[in-house]
Amino acid sequence: MPYWYHSGTMGWFGGVGMLVLMALVLAALVALVVVLARRGPQPPGPGDTARRILDERFARGEIDQEEYERRRGALTRAH
């Protein structure tokens, strides 16, 4: 005969244990999402963009090496 209304050997502690386990799993999932979100690509800072533009101008020959080094030094000192 099946025990339809029998709560088993765990009693009320089984329900509390299940709630604790579900809370731990949920906390682990939230922590995983936070870690993955922080590891995502970061937008370039304003100094990175300025340095990239300076590098491109030097590569195209728009500025000479002396001007490039002077401006690169100014960008480095600004940060």
Side-chain angles (χ1 to χ4, degrees), residues 4-78:
W4 297 105
Y5 300 105
H6 190 270
S7 63
T9 58
M10 294 180 128
W12 66 272
F13 185 72
V16 173
M18 188 62 91
L19 286 175
V20 169
L21 180 63
M22 288 185 345
L24 288 174
V25 169
L26 182 62
L29 287 174
V30 168
L32 179 66
V33 167
V34 168
V35 167
L36 291 177
R38 288 186 180 175
R39 291 181 64 193
Q42 301 294 324
D48 296 337
T49 303
R51 176 67 190 266
R52 183 181 48 80
I53 292 170
L54 183 63
D55 290 344
E56 290 173 0
R57 289 188 64 199
F58 180 65
R60 287 192 299 261
E62 294 177 9
I63 57 175
D64 62 2
Q65 184 173 356
E66 181 181 328
E67 179 72 10
Y68 172 77
E69 290 173 358
R70 185 179 66 79
R71 291 183 182 209
R72 186 182 65 194
L75 287 173
T76 304
R77 285 188 301 273

